[in-house]
Amino acid sequence: MVKVGINGFGRIGRMVFQAICDQDLLGSPIEVVAVVDMTTDADYFSYQMRYDSVHGKFKHTVTTEKSDASLAENDILVVNGHKIQCVAATRSPSDLPWAKHGVEYVIESTGLFTESDKAKGHIDAGAKKIIISAPGKGDLKTIVMGVNHEEYNAATHNIVSNASCTTNCLAPLVHVLLKEGVGIEKGLMTTIHSYTATQKTVDGPSKKDWRGGRAAAINIIPSTTGAAKAVGEVCPSVKGKMTGMSFRVPTPDVSVVDLTFTAARDTSIEEIDKLLKAASTSYLQNILGVATEELVSTDFLHDNRSSIYDSLATLQNNLPNEKRFFKIVSWYDNEWGYSNRVVDLLKHMISKA
């Protein structure tokens, strides 16, 4: 039994917790003992978990209770009979009560402590390992499940980043191209990405990103993304060879990657198609999927895979008889697929302890 704390019970924090429940891991081998957010109102947490505008109703039993009868509000979640303490957020992770609750692994999903120096506060508070559910900076290891997870070293990697949802979609595609000898000389990625909580419902102030301050639900908004460059951290041979951008679009969930690249050797889109399909049933099974029908974004809601290669869209949209210059299209549920990879990374790290 491994004790886990979740710092930040927002979109990804709750989705990670739901994935733990759906994978039937809650209680054994993973005991989530505490969740941290701005409030300790367990009834509100329960409401947020039980009803989700995108992913529907929570499939598990949730009740609440008080840790002390004198408290004004319930501060304990009881999920499938397992008690989880609701903890008030602190300015520094070092002030969180991880030692008191015996927490060994922390899912850092606030989006605030993505730098290793800041995330290290969790270790100062008593935790042993931290998984950052976002791109990380500093002295840490970036892991993309299915691509470089075997590089995890339990002795030295105490702070680990699960990269971004877009990197988790893109990296498996790049991994196949490299592993199968097609290679990439250079590449440009565009992600058509659903809006997220950092955006505005109506036009508002956004000093650092003027376009990002425009209303999310009625605009297509060009944005930056480090996802393509980050692939170089998990696939070093493409470091400096790829970059990309994002278009935030008026959908609440599911995104799609468009990878356009120059291959390192002569090949064909038909060969690439076969290689991706073969990988999806072998070394990237349950990470890389394949779509062969005329599907649209809502068809991938609640898909737990990292990347779903759109074979039809890819084969239909490449130049005939081209040998070096190609486009690959792949979908991803940027919330649910990513959250399941956080759980898979947690399981992997536990297995290596």
Side-chain angles (χ1 to χ4, degrees):
M1 188 93 69
V2 174
K3 292 186 177 182
V4 173
I6 300 175
N7 189 40
F9 212 49
R11 292 301 298 159
I12 299 303
R14 290 197 304 275
M15 288 295 108
V16 168
F17 181 77
Q18 183 175 332
I20 289 171
C21 295
D22 284 5
Q23 291 188 34
D24 199 26
L25 301 170
L26 187 65
S28 180
I30 296 170
E31 184 181 2
V32 179
V33 295
V35 294
V36 180
D37 214 286
M38 297 303 292
T39 177
T40 60
D41 184 352
D43 291 318
Y44 181 51
F45 282 177
S46 169
Y47 167 75
Q48 289 181 297
M49 288 165 56
R50 288 182 292 115
Y51 302 103
D52 190 281
S53 300
V54 171
H55 299 282
K57 293 183 179 179
F58 193 57
K59 303 179 184 72
H60 308 273
T61 303
V62 187
T63 59
T64 63
E65 61 184 54
K66 295 177 181 178
S67 61
D68 187 318
S70 65
L71 293 174
E73 297 175 332
N74 291 330
D75 65 335
I76 291 180
L77 283 166
V78 185
V79 181
N80 294 346
H82 301 283
K83 294 184 179 182
I84 302 137
Q85 180 70 53
C86 301
V87 176
T90 59
R91 287 186 177 274
S92 170
S94 60
D95 296 325
L96 290 167
W98 297 141
K100 174 184 175 183
H101 293 286
V103 169
E104 301 165 77
Y105 289 76
V106 171
I107 309 298
E108 170 47 58
S109 54
T110 64
L112 300 174
F113 307 112
T114 57
E115 296 176 12
S116 59
D117 287 346
K118 294 179 179 179
K120 184 179 176 293
H122 291 297
I123 294 175
D124 296 335
K128 296 177 181 177
K129 303 283 183 179
I130 300 106
I131 298 174
I132 300 172
S133 65
K137 296 179 181 178
D139 185 18
L140 50 74
K141 180 67 176 177
T142 299
I143 298 286
V144 171
M145 293 302 295
V147 177
N148 73 328
H149 61 282
E150 295 297 344
E151 295 177 7
Y152 171 69
N153 185 330
T156 57
H157 297 148
N158 296 325
I159 304 175
V160 176
S161 163
N162 195 58
S164 72
C165 54
T166 303
T167 300
N168 271 266
C169 177
L170 178 61
L173 305 175
V174 172
H175 181 55
V176 173
L177 295 173
L178 298 177
K179 182 179 175 69
E180 303 299 339
V182 173
I184 294 178
E185 281 192 357
K186 53 189 173 182
L188 295 173
M189 179 219 71
T190 301
T191 175
I192 315 302
H193 200 294
S194 291
Y195 55 67
T196 63
T198 60
Q199 291 178 253
K200 311 290 185 182
T201 51
V202 296
D203 287 3
S206 180
K207 182 65 174 175
K208 291 183 179 180
D209 177 13
W210 290 11
R211 289 198 267 207
R214 304 297 296 278
I218 57 170
N219 284 299
I220 297 172
I221 303 176
S223 181
T224 59
T225 175
K229 291 180 180 179
V231 171
E233 295 180 30
V234 296
C235 300
S237 65
V238 297
K239 193 166 187 176
K241 297 180 180 180
M242 298 177 66
T243 190
M245 69 175 296
S246 170
F247 286 98
R248 294 295 183 99
V249 296
T251 53
D253 190 24
V254 179
S255 304
V256 59
V257 155
D258 173 334
L259 171 62
T260 302
F261 68 99
T262 303
R265 67 163 172 86
D266 286 0
T267 181
S268 66
I269 197 60
E270 290 78 16
E271 181 190 8
I272 291 169
D273 179 72
K274 288 178 182 177
L275 292 173
L276 289 167
K277 287 176 176 175
S280 74
T281 59
S282 55
Y283 57 90
L284 285 179
Q285 190 168 16
N286 301 322
I287 300 288
L288 177 66
V290 176
T292 57
E293 297 182 90
E294 306 261 4
L295 302 182
V296 296
S297 62
T298 55
D299 298 319
F300 300 99
L301 279 170
H302 217 65
D303 194 307
N304 63 13
R305 294 168 293 184
S306 299
S307 186
I308 305 96
Y309 163 61
D310 193 323
S311 173
L312 202 58
T314 298
L315 291 172
Q316 289 174 343
N317 292 287
N318 273 274
L319 296 169
N321 304 314
E322 176 60 49
K323 296 181 179 180
R324 288 287 183 117
F325 185 58
F326 303 104
K327 177 190 294 290
I328 296 174
V329 177
S330 197
W331 300 87
Y332 58 115
D333 183 323
N334 46 278
E335 293 183 342
W336 187 241
Y338 182 80
S339 297
N340 274 270
R341 292 300 82 72
V342 173
V343 176
D344 289 349
L345 176 55
L346 173 61
K347 290 191 295 183
H348 180 67
M349 291 171 67
I350 292 170
S351 74
K352 300 296 182 180

